[in-house]
Amino acid sequence: MTTSTRRPVPLPKAYRLLNHGPTVLVSAAHEGKRNIMAAAWAMAIDFEPPKVAVVLDKSTWTRELLEQSGTFVLNVPVVTQADIAQTVGTTSGRELDRGGKDKFALYGLETFTGEQAEAPLLEGCVAWLECRLLPEPHNEQQYDLFLGEVIAAQADERVFKDGHWSFEGHDELRTLHHIAGGHFLVIGDSVVGTPLSPKQE
């Protein structure tokens, strides 16, 4: 890149420079109620024990269920689930609940039961992280930021093996990356980096 191609980015759009990690679908459940929503802002924050952070707006039904149950699941959807991600990200679970329905039943979303979390896990994804809420009331109220310890995890061995992602030969299992307004990118091919040698004086 040269200075001729570098341009300022308006600060309200600056988050999009980093916002191309995998979109996740956050599911939560409590006392027979359940919901799932899309979240573009989720990330790993620690190795041992593994921890994650996710931003959940105060208005969301998933957040309320998560707070009540103390557990949640990060589901990692694939390219063939773009319509699901868009739908659960733009539909109000709270409104459906008032009508005696939920997103899983209304849209025919298949689920399975995890090992630890109360929340359902969405079939067809390539990874599932079951999490225990690590309460941080100030962060939650001030910044809508929730921390979780990963207490169980699963992945599709066709694309995640020996601790590494490899999507070659499985284009239908490539992960989604939300870039705003219902538009997604799909993860590309892998590239291996080689450490540079020190520059000679």
Side-chain angles (χ1 to χ4, degrees):
M1 184 185 74
T2 66
T3 55
S4 65
T5 62
R6 191 164 53 233
R7 296 289 181 270
V9 174
L11 291 183
K13 306 294 185 188
Y15 77 92
R16 295 183 181 177
L17 301 179
L18 297 177
N19 195 30
H20 58 284
T23 295
V24 298
L25 305 180
V26 184
S27 56
H30 184 64
E31 294 184 347
K33 307 285 187 178
R34 59 184 186 166
N35 197 44
I36 187 167
M37 63 173 280
W41 296 343
M43 62 181 289
I45 60 171
D46 205 350
F47 298 107
E48 190 63 40
K51 299 183 187 74
V52 295
V54 62
V55 174
L56 302 171
D57 188 82
K58 291 177 179 64
S59 66
T60 63
W61 181 228
T62 300
R63 172 172 170 160
E64 186 173 325
L65 295 172
L66 181 161
E67 291 172 324
Q68 292 171 351
S69 70
T71 61
F72 62 97
V73 175
L74 301 183
N75 305 269
V76 181
V78 301
V79 61
T80 57
Q81 295 174 309
D83 291 346
I84 292 174
Q86 181 65 11
T87 299
V88 302
T90 56
T91 306
S92 170
R94 190 184 311 280
E95 290 300 317
L96 290 174
D97 181 67
R98 289 178 182 146
K101 300 178 182 176
D102 67 32
K103 296 178 189 179
F104 298 97
L106 184 63
Y107 299 113
L109 305 181
E110 296 183 20
T111 65
F112 63 99
T113 302
E115 300 173 17
Q116 301 285 335
E118 193 173 347
L121 283 66
L122 182 65
E123 286 281 11
C125 293
V126 287
W128 304 264
L129 295 88
E130 298 177 58
C131 304
R132 176 177 61 85
L133 178 64
L134 299 174
E136 291 286 346
H138 174 73
N139 288 340
E140 294 162 11
Q141 290 303 311
Q142 187 71 24
Y143 305 111
D144 295 333
L145 179 66
F146 287 77
L147 304 182
E149 178 182 346
V150 180
I151 51 178
Q154 301 178 52
D156 189 320
E157 66 177 358
R158 291 174 293 175
V159 290
F160 189 83
K161 190 178 293 185
D162 301 323
H164 296 282
W165 289 105
S166 178
F167 295 94
E168 286 76 10
H170 296 285
D171 288 346
E172 75 284 2
L173 298 179
R174 292 181 183 270
T175 53
L176 289 171
H177 305 260
H178 188 251
I179 54 170
H183 296 273
F184 298 88
L185 298 177
V186 178
I187 195 167
D189 296 328
S190 62
V191 176
V192 177
T194 302
L196 297 174
S197 299
K199 186 176 180 181
Q200 298 298 316
E201 296 294 334

